[in-house]
Amino acid sequence: MFPPAFAYSAPESLDEALATLTNEGESARVLAGGQSLIPMMKLRLASPAHLVDINNIPGLDYIDAANGYLRIGALVRHNDIVNSELVTAHNGAIASAAPWVADPLVRNRGTLCGSVAHCDPEGDWNSVMLAARAQVVAQSTSGERVIAIDDFVVDFFTNSLEPGEIVKEVRVPKYAGRGGGAYLKLERKIGDYATVAVATQLQLGEDGKISEAGIALTAVNNKNTRAIAAERALVGEEPSDEIFKEAAALAAQAAEPESNVRGTAEWKRNVVSVYTRRGLEASLAQARA
Amino acid sequence: MQINITFNGTAQTSDVEPRQLLVDYIRGTGATGTHIGCDTTSCGACTVLVDGTPMKSCTMFAVQANGKSITTVEGLKQNGDLHQIQASFKEKHGLQCGFCTPGMMLTSAALLEENPDPSEDEIRWAISGNICRCTGYINIVKAVQHAGEQLRNS
């Protein structure tokens, strides 16, 4: 299989890439890892007239911890995150999700920022980012714009980027105090999309009570979805089996899965509940460690 | 578009259409050891090394290989001798139909470069993007372990 013909440019600076994106408007797409975009083009589900390949732009492959954020640049591959001690030190949910994204070969090429921008409801990263309260740094010729992840993930394969904008960075706030996170994913085999996955993040106040809670679900809605009622049930509470069970039941209510080859809706909802509880337990253990 | 790549150690210049996939480019040169299995980024039969890192050549355009070094199964052989991973796949019978074998060996060779003494779990994890429908992976794992031993002792 091969895609429809397209014009191709491989700029060596971000300014040049942004200028091309602005000139080409909606007909242009950014090519980073290409591990979702290229298959979609081959299957002719996407047919951009112009691809702007950003792989030759230096300085976009950074992972750092600055100004209160863990920052991940546009060309950081999934496998860079698997191997990053900085990520492990700063965010449990990201560190826990990275080895479960796709398969090792795809992780060598695919990028976190590209996956976030792709907004596939079966993709892993946006659940993690919703639970971790991430921000997307979008850049265009007219400057930089910071978008909260809740506003960025709009719908099925739809983000809130404007034409001419590129995801330059995804960043997550460092834990205010003690914190922990997890990503639990059920998949039929390595490389398959999630049947169900749940991202969790907990932060504890000085008093040991839950000061912030993030829970988000993969593959059970038309987009990665925060379980807001479940999060609210946790905040201000002393961590306990009872409150985790209550949150797990509320998270299951936020899921609207479809029955398909990967399982029935009822079963998937049940997995959401079990994985939410286990994820909260793992997040708590990490926060207390 | 003109691209310059180092293909199995030899510099070459080619003119390619941007939409040409790397795997089609490679096979078009006559090097048909790189296989097209699923053609949808799922099976790993088309694995090649891009600057030493295993990637799926069905999910990369040939133009993106400009300036890179590409190694295929044909490039594993050194000075006319089989690469140790090839010798070990032969020795341990790490294949049946052979369709996945080129990709499997390239991924394994890259693993051993990074980790000369991988555990069984690490080997299975590393090759989890390369699908084999025949062997059940038992002899593939043995072949990688054997190659690791041989390389460590040489």
Side-chain angles (χ1 to χ4, degrees):
Chain A
M1 292 187 291
F2 51 89
F6 53 84
Y8 172 86
S9 51
E12 290 181 11
S13 75
L14 189 56
D15 285 346
E16 202 187 323
L18 293 171
T20 309
L21 284 171
T22 301
N23 291 339
E24 300 295 328
E26 298 219 31
S27 67
R29 285 287 297 270
V30 172
L31 175 62
Q35 301 298 287
S36 298
L37 179 58
I38 295 175
M40 285 182 84
M41 289 173 65
K42 289 167 73 178
L43 294 164
R44 310 220 170 191
L45 298 169
S47 46
H50 197 120
L51 281 188
V52 181
D53 184 347
I54 62 168
N55 285 283
N56 296 333
I57 301 176
L60 290 179
D61 59 350
Y62 57 90
I63 301 177
D64 64 24
N67 305 324
Y69 291 96
L70 174 70
R71 312 190 309 169
I72 297 172
L75 283 179
V76 171
R77 318 285 167 178
H78 306 300
N79 201 41
D80 299 332
I81 298 164
V82 175
N83 295 325
S84 168
E85 287 174 14
L86 202 60
V87 170
T88 308
H90 285 289
N91 193 282
I94 297 178
S96 139
W100 295 102
V101 174
D103 67 47
L105 304 168
V106 169
R107 286 198 292 275
N108 282 339
R109 183 87 184 149
T111 65
L112 178 140
C113 288
S115 175
V116 166
H118 191 50
C119 283
D120 183 339
E122 294 182 319
D124 300 304
W125 283 125
N126 279 349
S127 290
V128 175
M129 295 308 152
L130 285 163
R133 307 292 193 258
Q135 297 171 352
V136 174
V137 180
Q139 174 104 33
S140 70
T141 47
S142 48
E144 205 176 87
R145 186 163 76 100
V146 178
I147 310 167
I149 190 72
D150 295 84
D151 299 325
F152 184 83
V153 181
V154 176
D155 204 345
F156 189 73
F157 292 97
T158 308
N159 63 41
S160 61
L161 286 182
E162 299 289 341
E165 279 183 328
I166 186 175
V167 175
K168 187 188 154 201
E169 172 185 304
V170 170
R171 61 193 196 189
V172 297
K174 291 188 198 172
Y175 303 137
R178 290 180 296 162
Y183 188 66
L184 296 185
K185 178 178 180 180
L186 179 68
E187 57 183 9
R188 294 181 302 174
K189 56 172 277 293
I190 299 281
D192 191 18
Y193 289 105
T195 300
V196 173
V198 180
T200 52
Q201 179 168 299
L202 288 178
Q203 295 189 61
L204 304 178
E206 299 275 329
D207 55 3
K209 288 183 178 170
I210 298 167
S211 55
E212 281 191 50
I215 301 173
L217 317 177
T218 305
V220 289
N221 293 86
N222 63 354
K223 60 177 181 174
N224 301 75
T225 302
R226 261 176 69 191
I228 293 172
E231 293 174 349
R232 284 190 184 140
L234 292 166
V235 173
E237 298 292 328
E238 192 76 43
S240 69
D241 290 348
E242 290 67 35
I243 197 71
F244 284 177
K245 269 184 198 154
E246 189 187 324
L250 289 167
Q253 284 174 25
E256 291 170 12
E258 284 179 8
S259 296
N260 62 14
V261 66
R262 293 187 178 87
T264 64
E266 184 191 4
W267 177 66
K268 289 182 189 179
R269 211 174 278 119
N270 195 33
V271 176
V272 169
S273 161
V274 173
Y275 276 21
T276 302
R277 181 172 51 74
R278 290 184 192 168
L280 290 170
E281 286 165 2
S283 303
L284 177 66
Q286 203 179 83
R288 283 179 170 169
Chain B
M1 255 184 113
Q2 185 174 301
I3 57 167
N4 299 303
I5 67 172
T6 305
F7 185 70
N8 291 329
T10 308
Q12 61 187 42
T13 300
S14 312
D15 192 36
V16 298
E17 209 188 334
R19 65 171 162 168
Q20 183 170 40
L21 296 160
L22 181 59
V23 69
D24 291 326
Y25 167 79
I26 290 169
R27 290 179 59 84
T29 66
T32 52
T34 305
H35 294 160
I36 300 174
C38 67
D39 212 358
T40 51
T41 326
S42 302
C43 80
C46 65
T47 303
V48 300
L49 303 183
V50 180
D51 287 344
T53 303
M55 295 181 183
K56 294 176 180 176
S57 61
C58 80
T59 315
M60 195 172 156
F61 295 113
V63 283
Q64 298 188 282
N66 187 27
K68 311 260 183 223
S69 170
I70 303 294
T71 307
T72 68
V73 67
E74 289 89 347
L76 277 177
K77 208 157 63 169
Q78 290 156 344
N79 306 320
D81 295 325
L82 291 183
H83 184 286
Q84 183 58 52
I85 196 76
Q86 294 173 300
S88 293
F89 266 69
K90 184 180 171 202
E91 172 75 23
K92 294 294 170 186
H93 200 69
L95 63 142
Q96 287 179 32
C97 86
F99 198 84
C100 71
T101 314
M104 206 60 95
M105 292 195 303
L106 287 160
T107 299
S108 304
L111 167 69
L112 293 175
E113 244 347 276
E114 210 171 89
N115 178 1
D117 190 12
S119 66
E120 178 175 344
D121 271 358
E122 286 169 334
I123 294 169
R124 287 180 178 274
W125 191 247
I127 61 171
S128 60
N130 295 81
I131 293 173
C132 173
R133 301 279 82 155
C134 303
T135 63
Y137 303 98
I138 305 282
N139 284 357
I140 293 175
V141 172
K142 284 184 186 165
V144 180
Q145 286 170 325
H146 182 260
E149 278 164 31
Q150 297 294 313
L151 288 167
R152 288 198 304 281
N153 296 334
S154 67

